[in-house]
């Protein structure tokens, strides 16, 4: 991957979940609890596999986010238990779902100080998921004042990236996307001619797994502050 600086960039777009703050580990804990409650009927591995299968089937209808996820959790629990799981267990899973909507979102290490050092750059949040929940997380994080624009979309494909560039009134070649998901943040940005900085997170949702590839307009870093080496 190239080590050049991206000096011609007009806008830096940041993914939110697992880029600016931790998210997936909260979901993983709920999945773990679901698997524990399903122990009378299946192994944890089967419970996780069934949940991913449910999410895959529901994705085109329910999209991304806490609400879509917890619906898939409940559907999986009821199906795998053959409708034998207790009302108390279902109530616990619902409560855990509401907890995801209120989960703390403190910025990850180096995020706030790095954003401060990028004060001369146009910065936006570009994230997918449930509109109200994602907007609330941006506000609760205390980072909203760093960004001139927050874009919350149902998905992040080439089409949504092009629409973002149109709204920001820039060509794709002046957009730099920073995010943890190669599938959603980096690959579609590169496909439209934009640039990418990939910051892998220590946990990744199974639906975001994809084959990565090297590209002259992309760099892969380990620490958030390394962004400063490229802009």
């Amino acid at each position: 991957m190239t080590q050049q600086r991206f000096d011609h960039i007009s806008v830096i777009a940041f993914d939110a979940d697992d880029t600016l703050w931790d998210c997936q580990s909260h979901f993983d804990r709920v999945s773990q609890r679901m698997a524990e409650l399903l122990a009378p009927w299946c192994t944890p591995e089967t419970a996780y596999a069934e949940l991913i299968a449910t999410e895959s089937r529901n994705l085109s209808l329910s999209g991304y986010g806490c609400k879509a996820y917890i619906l898939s959790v409940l559907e999986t629990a009821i199906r795998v238990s053959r409708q034998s799981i207790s009302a108390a267990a279902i109530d616990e899973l619902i409560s855990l779902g509401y907890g995801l909507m209120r989960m703390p979102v403190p910025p990850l290490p180096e995020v706030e100080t790095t954003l401060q050092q990028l004060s001369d750059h146009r910065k936006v949040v570009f994230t997918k998921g449930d509109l109200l929940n994602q907007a609330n997380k941006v506000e609760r994080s205390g980072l909203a004042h760093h960004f001139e624009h927050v874009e919350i979309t149902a998905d992040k494909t080439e089409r949504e990236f092009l629409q973002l560039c149109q709204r920001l009134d820039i060509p794709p070649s002046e957009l730099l996307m920073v995010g943890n998901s190669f599938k959603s943040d980096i690959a579609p940005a590169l496909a439209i001619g934009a640039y990418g900085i990939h910051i892998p997170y220590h946990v990744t949702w199974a639906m975001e797994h994809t084959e990565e590839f090297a590209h002259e307009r992309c760099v892969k870093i380990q620490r958030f502050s390394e962004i400063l080496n490229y802009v």
Side-chain angles (χ1 to χ4, degrees):
M1 292 187 181
T2 182
Q3 293 298 305
Q4 67 176 326
R5 289 182 60 86
F6 303 141
D7 293 324
H8 63 288
I9 294 300
S10 297
V11 176
I12 308 175
F14 293 86
D15 176 51
D17 294 336
D18 299 321
T19 298
L20 299 178
W21 52 71
D22 173 49
C23 178
Q24 187 58 42
S25 65
H26 296 275
F27 282 72
D28 287 349
R29 283 191 287 272
V30 177
S31 298
Q32 180 180 357
R33 182 55 183 153
M34 179 203 71
E36 292 169 354
L37 292 170
L38 288 174
W41 297 281
C42 69
T43 65
E45 292 75 18
T46 297
Y48 298 141
E50 287 293 330
L51 175 57
I52 292 299
T54 304
E55 290 183 288
S56 298
R57 288 195 301 271
N58 293 344
L59 194 58
S60 63
L61 181 64
S62 59
Y64 301 88
C66 294
K67 297 172 188 174
Y69 167 75
I70 204 63
L71 282 174
S72 290
V73 166
L74 295 172
E75 179 184 335
T76 301
I78 292 168
R79 183 183 70 253
V80 171
S81 70
R82 297 180 291 279
Q83 300 182 339
S84 297
I85 194 167
S86 69
I90 292 295
D91 185 63
E92 180 181 349
L93 291 172
I94 291 173
S95 296
L96 291 172
Y98 278 111
L100 288 177
M101 298 178 201
R102 297 187 294 265
M103 66 184 181
V105 284
L108 288 169
E110 303 182 340
V111 166
E112 189 149 27
T113 55
T114 301
L115 292 176
Q116 290 170 350
Q117 293 181 71
L118 292 170
S119 59
D120 292 337
H121 293 75
R122 293 180 66 192
K123 299 181 296 297
V124 303
V125 172
F126 184 46
T127 185
K128 66 184 180 183
D130 178 80
L131 176 61
L132 180 60
N133 184 241
Q134 291 297 85
N136 284 341
K137 283 193 283 188
V138 173
E139 290 299 321
R140 295 203 312 274
S141 73
L143 298 174
H145 66 282
H146 290 290
F147 304 103
E148 69 170 59
H149 176 70
V150 175
E151 182 105 358
I152 300 167
T153 181
D155 205 352
K156 285 162 80 171
T157 67
E158 295 174 34
R159 182 183 66 180
E160 286 80 18
F161 271 91
L162 286 170
Q163 291 171 345
L164 175 67
C165 290
Q166 291 170 359
R167 276 188 278 275
L168 296 172
D169 194 26
I170 61 169
S173 60
E174 294 182 10
L175 176 70
L176 170 63
M177 182 68 204
V178 178
N180 70 293
S181 171
F182 198 91
K183 179 180 180 180
S184 295
D185 300 321
I186 305 304
L190 297 176
I192 69 165
Y195 291 72
I197 293 183
H198 184 208
I199 313 179
Y201 198 51
H202 68 278
V203 288
T204 304
W205 184 33
M207 300 287 286
E208 292 291 343
H209 291 171
T210 191
E211 185 176 351
E212 298 178 17
F213 53 85
H215 196 284
E216 62 182 4
R217 285 185 274 107
C218 176
V219 295
K220 185 175 184 178
I221 63 177
Q222 300 301 318
R223 297 176 56 181
F224 200 87
S225 62
E226 292 178 62
I227 296 171
L228 300 172
N229 296 332
Y230 298 95
V231 297

